[in-house]
Amino acid sequence: MKVRFINHISLIPESTWHALVGTNYPFLRHEFLDALEASGSVGAESGWLPMHLLVESEDGRLLAAMPLFLKTHSYGEYVFDWSWAEAYQNHGLNYYPKLLAAIPFTPATGQRLVKAADCSDEVTALVAKALQDKAQQLGASGWHVLFLEKEELAQWASTDADIRLGCQFHWHNEGYSDFDGFLAAMNSKKRRTLRKERNTLTAQGIQFKRLTGDAITPVIWQRFQAFYQLTNLKYNRHHGYLTPDFFERIYLTMRDSLLLVVAFDGEEAIAGALNFIGGDTLYGRYWGCIREVEFLHFETCYYQGIEYCIQHGIQRFDSGAQGEHKVPRGFRPTLTYSVHWLKHTGFKQAVKRFLIEESVAIQRYRDEMTQALPFKNVDKESA
């Protein structure tokens, strides 16, 4: 086996990439990564320099792959290490650049080191060694793998990397027949609250459409992009990490994997939420509006997605990072995982101690949030 790095996903054929990674996880699809890179949403100027890792056999067969970037900052990651960078700076050391295996601007759990079914168990150790060597070569402080699946953790146990926990809030389909069936699983107080929120919008004449594929017209797609840019400008003082060209590219190449929820006041579209459809998971990603309406965000970003999952038998709804307000709306606290390797021995030991203490606090927080769920019967283990 040999490891090589490529600086653009287009350097590997789409068919070769998909033969290994599949298409069920939308953010590892060749089209998605290519849209990020070709649109300039990532690249050297953005601080996300593509450096994807490939493991190949001697005859050139792709055995494993990992989305990889050289980062010069920590924006757009959602696993926060700003305090680590500050500690480095205070000691006269450089934390950046660093190597990062992640999906840019996408805190959604999925495979990070994807291996062929017949691939040797030695490949993870090979990749870890290649990452360490690359970090030395580039003067990077270390390497990090974000939002990997729990099942992948065992692969990294012998690589001298440290595990970090996080907590998000995901909705799970318990075989509900419809939205009322979902509400029936809640206690009466929470059930009344959710119905009130939905009825308030109905009383104002706000209606919703869930659009997929060719039902997402060019006009409504442009309208959604305006929502996205205006909302980012309002809250983040920029138009968003993603360029207009990125949206145009995924519209052309991934439209069948998109669910666009649009809110209408009469004939006017006033808000939208873009979701990606995975194999058994709906991923809520981007939202925007041009008018503030009470409960509009909850309906557009959460309840419409839940209804879609129920109607289509989708098992999980990952609506994005953070948000304790999701708990009373039926989203379960769910642990997330990342692994980290730092080159500097002293800082590595300090971070290891920090992560041990942090993991205890994260698991306690998860348990507390589980007890706050609105369901009649709360099963802590199911979270």
Side-chain angles (χ1 to χ4, degrees):
M1 294 183 292
K2 61 180 180 179
V3 175
R4 69 182 177 103
F5 300 85
I6 58 174
N7 60 12
H8 200 295
I9 194 67
S10 64
L11 295 176
I12 184 169
E14 181 178 319
S15 58
T16 302
W17 181 264
H18 283 165
L20 176 69
V21 307
T23 57
N24 281 340
Y25 181 64
F27 310 116
L28 263 185
R29 284 179 56 169
H30 194 280
E31 304 97 318
F32 186 85
L33 294 173
D34 185 67
L36 286 172
E37 296 173 16
S39 69
S41 298
V42 302
E45 293 184 1
S46 72
W48 291 81
L49 183 65
M51 198 170 290
H52 306 307
L53 183 151
L54 308 178
V55 180
E56 298 169 324
S57 64
E58 290 186 357
D59 61 1
R61 184 167 70 93
L62 185 62
L63 299 176
M66 171 183 279
L68 186 68
F69 299 85
L70 185 68
K71 287 297 301 295
T72 56
H73 54 68
S74 292
Y75 292 106
E77 298 176 14
Y78 304 94
V79 175
F80 302 108
D81 60 357
W82 295 106
S83 61
W84 303 0
E86 183 179 2
Y88 268 67
Q89 184 178 19
N90 290 340
H91 287 79
L93 300 171
N94 293 322
Y95 187 67
Y96 306 109
K98 62 180 181 178
L99 287 171
L100 187 78
I103 308 299
F105 324 120
T106 309
T109 293
Q111 278 189 290
R112 292 298 175 258
L113 177 58
V114 185
K115 301 187 296 184
D118 61 345
C119 195
S120 166
D121 290 339
E122 298 173 358
V123 71
T124 305
L126 177 68
V127 167
K129 178 63 165 57
L131 290 171
Q132 292 178 18
D133 291 345
K134 199 68 172 177
Q136 293 283 358
Q137 175 190 341
L138 298 173
S141 63
W143 54 264
H144 313 260
V145 185
L146 307 187
F147 295 104
L148 69 164
E149 293 181 341
K150 183 178 182 180
E151 291 74 19
E152 285 188 80
L153 290 176
Q155 301 179 26
W156 299 97
S158 60
T159 66
D160 196 32
D162 297 307
I163 298 172
R164 188 176 191 182
L165 301 184
C167 187
Q168 293 181 343
F169 303 94
H170 299 172
W171 179 88
H172 294 268
N173 191 344
E174 302 295 340
Y176 305 116
S177 58
D178 52 25
F179 198 88
D180 283 339
F182 164 58
L183 292 180
M186 295 183 172
N187 61 56
S188 58
K189 180 179 179 181
K190 297 300 183 184
R191 186 164 58 245
R192 287 195 300 271
T193 298
L194 266 67
R195 282 180 173 154
K196 176 185 176 181
E197 291 178 357
R198 306 198 82 187
N199 291 338
T200 297
L201 291 168
T202 301
Q204 296 179 72
I206 307 297
Q207 296 182 324
F208 295 85
K209 291 183 180 180
R210 295 192 289 267
L211 308 174
T212 60
D214 291 340
I216 306 174
T217 65
V219 172
I220 203 67
W221 188 244
Q222 290 292 330
R223 187 69 167 164
F224 166 73
Q225 290 183 58
F227 298 156
Y228 168 80
Q229 292 179 344
L230 289 171
T231 299
N232 270 282
L233 189 62
K234 178 178 180 179
Y235 292 103
N236 303 318
R237 298 183 180 180
H238 60 75
H239 285 100
Y241 292 120
L242 302 169
T243 66
D245 188 43
F246 166 82
F247 286 106
E248 290 307 308
R249 289 175 180 273
I250 63 169
Y251 180 77
L252 293 174
T253 61
M254 296 183 66
R255 194 151 66 246
D256 289 342
S257 296
L258 305 179
L259 167 66
L260 181 61
V261 177
V262 184
F264 289 87
D265 185 358
E267 297 296 319
E268 182 188 16
I270 62 171
L274 181 61
N275 306 266
F276 288 75
I277 304 168
D280 64 353
T281 302
L282 181 68
Y283 299 92
R285 292 307 306 123
Y286 317 118
W287 135 271
C289 66
I290 59 169
R291 188 190 311 166
E292 298 290 342
V293 179
E294 189 177 20
F295 307 132
L296 181 62
H297 178 264
F298 300 147
E299 181 69 41
T300 311
C301 296
Y302 306 145
Y303 305 150
Q304 289 291 318
I306 289 173
E307 280 198 322
Y308 182 87
C309 288
I310 293 172
Q311 290 178 3
H312 292 83
I314 295 175
Q315 296 304 303
R316 186 167 63 99
F317 182 18
D318 173 352
S319 61
Q322 304 172 340
E324 291 183 4
H325 58 277
K326 299 173 186 176
V327 174
R329 294 169 175 85
F331 287 77
R332 293 180 176 273
T334 304
L335 293 179
T336 62
Y337 305 91
S338 58
V339 294
H340 307 266
W341 180 85
L342 295 175
K343 182 171 56 179
H344 190 284
T345 303
F347 274 102
K348 178 176 177 57
Q349 293 304 314
V351 166
K352 181 188 291 287
R353 291 191 296 270
F354 166 77
L355 293 180
I356 291 172
E357 296 176 0
E358 185 188 50
S359 67
V360 173
I362 291 290
Q363 291 180 82
R364 184 183 301 119
Y365 173 75
R366 187 275 308 265
D367 292 344
E368 291 173 355
M369 290 296 99
T370 299
Q371 294 304 320
L373 284 165
F375 302 113
K376 298 172 185 175
N377 299 307
V378 174
D379 178 7
K380 182 180 293 187
E381 295 302 320
S382 67

